[in-house]
């Protein structure tokens, strides 16, 4: 969920197309709330705008520096995010006559000011750019399952719990791979 972001594209400012524009949040007090994301900094959006009749086709890139949590050790780390975006911006009148305006790739602007609010487009781009399994480093050792110590910083003196004897039989199973069965 994004609160107080206000990423605005002012379409009336363009006389010739294609037009290029760089955007940043209108208000520095914005926040980005999403599980596992501690903060977002340096948010920028580069957009190329083309016009066809009453629609504006926009494509570009969303970039930012995110501080996220490692899924193994829970330590925060920084990662540069970049995600391509593309969408149509249409006025209310065109939105009523266009059959695709219920799609997620449309932004409807109100009135003659032609101001498109890109908050949802930018929020979705940031979420899509996040790694599905965020790791602070490839060989992150994670947390000790007994005491919870971060094994990247130092080892622990915990004795590892023996495997439940009921699961011992699993050690004897060999991976089968992708062998085709004869039949």
């Amino acid at each position: 969920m994004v609160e107080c972001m206000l990423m605005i594209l002012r379409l009336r400012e363009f006389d010739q197309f294609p037009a290029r524009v760089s955007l940043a949040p209108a208000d520095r007090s914005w926040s980005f709330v999403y599980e596992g994301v501690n903060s977002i900094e340096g948010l920028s959006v580069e957009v190329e705008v083309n016009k066809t009749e009453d629609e504006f086709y926009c494509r570009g890139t969303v970039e930012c520096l995110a501080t996220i949590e490692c899924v193994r050790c829970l330590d925060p780390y920084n990662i540069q995010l970049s995600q391509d975006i593309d969408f149509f911006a249409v006025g209310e009148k065109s939105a009523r006559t266009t059959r695709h305006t219920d799609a997620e790739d449309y932004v409807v602007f109100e009135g003659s000011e032609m101001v498109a609010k890109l908050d949802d487009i930018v929020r979705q781009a940031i979420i899509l750019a996040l790694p599905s399994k965020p790791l602070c480093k490839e060989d992150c050792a994670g947390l000790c399952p007994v005491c919870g110590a971060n094994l990247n910083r130092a080892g622990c003196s915990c004795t590892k719990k023996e495997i439940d004897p009921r699961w011992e039989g699993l050690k004897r199973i060999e991976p089968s791979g992708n062998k085709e069965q004869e039949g």
Side-chain angles (χ1 to χ4, degrees):
M1 179 177 170
V2 177
E3 301 168 355
C4 303
M5 194 163 149
L6 298 178
M7 183 69 73
I8 295 173
L9 176 61
R10 300 180 190 285
L11 297 164
R12 184 170 288 290
E13 295 177 1
F14 306 121
D15 295 330
Q16 295 181 336
F17 297 94
R20 294 186 187 274
V21 63
S22 297
L23 303 171
D27 183 358
R28 293 289 178 203
S29 66
W30 64 274
S31 65
F32 179 86
V33 180
Y34 192 73
E35 185 177 347
V37 178
N38 296 347
S39 67
I40 298 287
E41 296 178 9
L43 177 63
S44 67
V45 179
E46 299 292 325
V47 180
E48 179 181 279
V49 181
N50 286 293
K51 184 177 181 187
T52 57
E53 297 179 17
D54 294 335
E55 293 183 344
F56 295 88
Y57 174 66
C58 306
R59 69 176 181 199
T61 306
V62 174
E63 293 184 345
C64 65
L65 179 67
T67 303
I68 61 178
E69 290 179 357
C70 175
V71 295
R72 287 188 188 156
C73 68
L74 304 179
D75 274 352
Y77 71 99
N78 293 330
I79 184 170
Q80 185 69 37
L81 302 177
S82 181
Q83 182 68 36
D84 292 337
I85 57 172
D86 64 335
F87 60 94
F88 289 93
V90 296
E92 288 178 303
K93 183 179 176 183
S94 293
R96 287 189 291 256
T97 60
T98 305
R99 66 181 186 273
H100 300 293
T101 55
D102 59 337
E104 294 177 7
D105 57 349
Y106 272 80
V107 175
V108 178
F109 54 84
E110 299 177 11
S112 61
E113 292 301 311
M114 298 171 61
V115 174
K117 295 178 183 173
L118 305 184
D119 295 1
D120 288 338
I121 300 284
V122 172
R123 178 185 61 82
Q124 290 170 14
I126 293 171
I127 292 169
L128 287 172
L130 290 169
S132 59
K133 187 177 179 180
L135 294 173
C136 60
K137 57 185 179 180
E138 191 68 32
D139 60 343
C140 176
L143 302 175
C144 171
V146 177
C147 70
N150 187 332
L151 300 174
N152 293 318
R153 295 186 194 134
C156 66
S157 58
C158 295
T159 55
K160 304 299 180 213
K161 186 177 180 181
E162 293 296 319
I163 296 177
D164 186 326
R166 294 174 289 184
W167 298 105
E168 285 291 326
L170 293 175
K171 288 183 178 179
R172 292 187 298 270
I173 297 175
E174 291 185 30
S176 62
N178 292 333
K179 297 177 184 175
E180 292 184 28
Q181 294 179 352
E182 292 182 21

